[in-house]
Amino acid sequence: MESIFHEKQEGSLCAQHCLNNLLQGEYFSPVELSSIAHQLDEEERMRMAEGGVTSEDYRTFLQQPSGNMDDSGFFSIQVISNALKVWGLELILFNSPEYQRLRIDPINERSFICNYKEHWFTVRKLGKQWFNLNSLLTGPELISDTYLALFLAQLQQEGYSIFVVKGDLPDCEADQLLQMIRVQQMHRPKLIGEELAQLKEQRVHKTDLERVLEANDGSGMLDEDEEDLQRALALSRQEIDMEDEEADLRRAIQLSMQGSSRNISQDIPQTSGTNLTSEELRKRREAYFEKVRLRLQKYIQQQKQQKQQQQGDLSGQSSHPCERPTSSRALGSDLGDAMSEEDMLQAAVTMSLETVRSDLKTEGKK
């Protein structure tokens, strides 16, 4: 199909594309079609002037825009018809009574021009096969002989006006080549808009794929089930969001304990140069750990007070009419859980200190 001339849509120049696809070459430009349109406008103006240049109809005609062309590139059927007359071609309305009385089978014609509102396109026979040369398609569309009549009937049902092109079309390479061979079309051409949307989707998918590959250090090893990967990432984000102030409190206490243990050597009175008995050393160490326990108790109490104050502020905010109310039962449950966690932490600290005391007593006895 590479030999078939097919102009694709540019702006609103479908009339130009329709004519050139029909004649199989760049026969007409917007400038030439505009010249024909201006000529038709002048002929219409002269006819209107015959009734008097001072008449109301004439003044109204001058104020109206051209009916043969507009700034978007649209051209009327009169412009197309006059352009084809240059090549000795004539247009006949397909469903007119005069043509229908002839009872001509569509496959015995050579070409059709189809129009709906402001769009024009050509259906032409090249060699022994029919092709839809619509400029909105990405390429020529093969139409079988058996489907041609149904295709035209479907266009009429959709509101299209169909014109039969009468006369000898100029010779073209595609017609000569397809007289000797028949082509087959494995894939139907798409509308240009659909192709652009598909290409855009492919580019977006490619970008996402490259981003994933970069995140995997370019290894290219991707999870076979992408949906499972996305769900796992979502769950991971949820777990991160579910970290609350209790986790922060536990981490703070742990850091406090670690900091205290690292500074034991600094806080315990130095014994170098002093001869202490085992009993005196044990008592000094017990006094130090008692001080650590009291410090932790004070820290936990401060955290309780801060948490209660924050929950009181939140309770006051929930009374705003735009805020979602919080259940008092749920709030009480959260406080109970928070207290249990802190009590458990304090118990763990106490047990740890008792273990240290026990070890020191054992060491003292030895």
Side-chain angles (χ1 to χ4, degrees), residues 329-365:
R329 179 179 179 181
L331 186 59
S333 175
D334 292 341
L335 282 172
D337 293 341
M339 293 293 291
S340 298
E341 291 288 341
E342 291 172 355
D343 292 342
M344 290 174 63
L345 286 171
Q346 185 172 354
V349 171
T350 303
M351 290 177 62
S352 177
L353 293 174
E354 291 296 334
T355 302
V356 173
R357 292 194 186 98
S358 177
D359 293 341
L360 290 173
K361 290 179 181 179
T362 303
E363 182 181 352
K365 290 179 180 180

Side-chain angles (χ1 to χ4, degrees), residues 277-289:
T277 63
S278 298
E279 182 64 20
E280 290 174 341
L281 182 60
R282 182 182 63 79
K283 288 181 179 181
R284 288 195 179 190
R285 289 181 176 177
E286 283 185 350
Y288 166 75
F289 284 115

Side-chain angles (χ1 to χ4, degrees), residues 105-252:
D105 191 332
I107 62 173
N108 294 325
E109 298 290 357
R110 294 295 302 172
S111 58
F112 300 92
I113 287 180
C114 308
N115 166 247
Y116 179 69
K117 294 185 178 179
E118 297 184 354
H119 183 60
W120 303 89
F121 72 91
T122 292
V123 178
R124 173 173 173 169
K125 191 173 188 179
L126 292 168
K128 300 177 182 179
Q129 295 174 287
W130 284 90
F131 296 90
N132 175 11
L133 302 178
N134 193 336
S135 58
L136 293 177
L137 294 175
T138 56
E141 179 184 21
L142 180 63
I143 301 176
S144 65
D145 291 349
T146 55
Y147 181 62
L148 177 64
L150 180 61
F151 178 73
L152 296 175
Q154 182 179 354
L155 290 177
Q156 285 183 306
Q157 187 175 3
E158 293 175 359
Y160 276 84
S161 298
I162 301 176
F163 300 88
V164 184
V165 181
K166 289 292 188 179
D168 296 329
L169 294 166
D171 293 335
C172 64
E173 179 184 356
D175 186 57
Q176 296 173 0
L177 181 62
L178 293 176
Q179 290 287 351
M180 299 180 289
I181 61 173
R182 296 180 66 89
V183 298
Q184 293 182 347
Q185 192 168 47
M186 302 301 296
H187 303 286
R188 296 287 182 183
K190 298 180 180 180
L191 290 173
I192 294 177
E194 293 178 353
E195 183 186 42
L196 293 175
Q198 184 177 5
L199 290 175
K200 182 178 180 181
E201 182 179 355
Q202 290 176 353
R203 285 195 297 268
V204 171
H205 180 71
K206 181 179 179 181
T207 302
D208 293 340
L209 182 60
E210 291 174 348
R211 190 180 296 113
V212 173
L213 288 173
E214 290 178 0
N216 286 272
D217 298 329
S219 61
M221 299 299 294
L222 301 178
D223 194 333
E224 294 181 357
D225 193 341
E226 187 175 351
E227 293 183 359
D228 290 344
L229 175 61
Q230 295 298 329
R231 284 195 293 269
L233 291 174
L235 289 174
S236 176
R237 286 192 294 268
Q238 291 177 1
E239 290 175 359
I240 292 174
D241 294 338
M242 289 175 65
E243 280 193 355
D244 56 5
E245 295 179 359
E246 288 301 318
D248 294 338
L249 176 60
R250 287 194 294 271
R251 285 196 296 269

Side-chain angles (χ1 to χ4, degrees), residues 27 42 81 85 100 108 150 208 249 251 262 266 270 276 285-286 299 309 337:
Y27 286 86
E42 182 63 20
S81 178
K85 285 180 181 178
Q100 291 298 321
N108 294 325
L150 180 61
D208 293 340
L249 176 60
R251 285 196 296 269
R262 285 194 300 265
Q266 298 176 2
Q270 300 297 321
L276 296 176
R285 289 181 176 177
E286 283 185 350
Y299 176 81
Q309 183 179 359
D337 293 341

Side-chain angles (χ1 to χ4, degrees), residues 300-310:
I300 292 172
Q301 185 64 29
Q302 290 175 349
Q303 293 298 319
K304 285 183 180 180
Q305 293 175 356
Q306 290 179 4
K307 190 171 187 67
Q308 290 174 356
Q309 183 179 359
Q310 291 174 357

